[in-house]
Amino acid sequence: MANSTLGIIFSNIQEKNIPELSKRRTMASIPFAGRYRLVDFALSNMVNAGITAVGISTKSNYQSLIDHLGSGKDWDLARKGGGIILLPPYSNDMEKPYTTRLEALMAVSGFLASRREEYVVIYDCDGVARMDIADMLRFHEENDADITMAYSEQKSIDAHYYITLDTDKKSRVKHINITPKLNGKTKVNLYINVMIIKREYLLDLMQRALEHGHTSFSRDILAKNVEDMRIFGYKFNGYYAAIDSLQGYYKHSMEQLDKKVRDELYGARDIYTKVGDSAPTRYLEGAVVNNSLIADGCTIEGTVENSILFRGVKVGKGSVIKNSVVMQKTIIGSNVKLDAVITDKNVVISDRRTLSGCAELPYFIAKGTML
């Protein structure tokens, strides 16, 4: 089935949830876990299912995404027929870039119409998971579904906008709920923004939406017509991290320090990313590192505890870094103290600075800041 399946990844759709990290990059290219970008999980899950043609819808601030993807060779997608296809933010029928999911789908309608695959996997970049897309495709065919929506059971949701699914015993979706109120006691089926649909059926839905002047794909097309469509919910039972806020990003980054989480996400070594070919990290005299993820190319003279350091970070003598996420090429001077801090790329922190946040409100330092 994978040979007859096309992938579509939306790189910008969810970026309003985490403006701190998406102000100067797409949601897809937000760094994660020391060496990855969020798009790596969507791409890797598709490639592992045998999908070899993936269209990536872009909107703005996508230079870092292009730099990260390159030719696609790190995901075995450097191909003449298929591979990674970057899609523009608007089609010939649109005068400006999309603002909604329906408009985003309209923007790629020409690309969809030009393809010959039977199925389309639509994937956002706001979640971290290792999913078996091939199994989801089998589930879709076995149920003769029009649409299959992946969900994860969750008790609490921090996002401002989200969708939950009510399913019957046969997994058919009976109700689609747009941002319902939750009591925090009962688990709900959170839609994790992964969908399978027949390509021609999707094009037909968009044509009807255009004729009727619809504005919301979720509300006007799915929720209002759920009884007339064969929509099924595919339960994802593995580890799922929703990157729906800066607090969520920090929380799930800290979860990567748990070996059980790392073994589930990366143990099979089938989450791929751009190879950096950096030199090994140097641990100089006085360096102490406990329970941390340290990428290549770092230089450490101080103490790092319960933290994640991306490539090329420098930690000066006498500095203590705790419970923090330090992104690429950040320079930390001597006798600095950081606790619950997120630094974006290329930050410089001068000697003897003390910065502290907390799990509920991590202290964030924007890209290129000098303190």
Side-chain angles (χ1 to χ4, degrees), residues 267-328:
R269 296 185 180 180
D270 53 7
I271 300 296
Y272 316 110
T273 189
K274 179 181 178 180
V275 177
D277 293 327
S278 301
T281 287
R282 299 170 61 213
Y283 300 91
L284 305 182
E285 184 178 355
V288 177
V289 177
N290 293 313
N291 191 39
S292 297
L293 297 180
I294 311 294
D296 295 339
C298 296
T299 302
I300 301 175
E301 292 185 83
T303 298
V304 181
E305 296 181 0
N306 303 315
S307 295
I308 298 173
L309 271 57
F310 286 72
R311 294 185 178 107
V313 171
K314 295 183 179 180
V315 179
K317 189 173 182 179
S319 291
V320 179
I321 315 303
K322 294 184 178 180
N323 311 308
S324 295
V325 179
V326 184
M327 294 190 192
Q328 189 171 347

Side-chain angles (χ1 to χ4, degrees), residues 159-178:
H160 298 296
Y161 178 90
Y162 56 90
I163 294 172
T164 65
L165 310 176
D166 296 335
T167 60
D168 62 18
K169 293 181 179 179
K170 295 184 178 180
S171 299
R172 186 163 179 176
V173 176
K174 308 306 291 183
H175 294 96
I176 294 176
N177 312 296
I178 311 295

Side-chain angles (χ1 to χ4, degrees), residues 192-204:
I192 58 177
N193 297 316
V194 182
M195 174 187 293
I196 295 176
I197 184 171
K198 282 192 174 182
R199 182 180 60 83
E200 292 185 355
Y201 187 69
L202 176 58
L203 288 169
D204 182 59

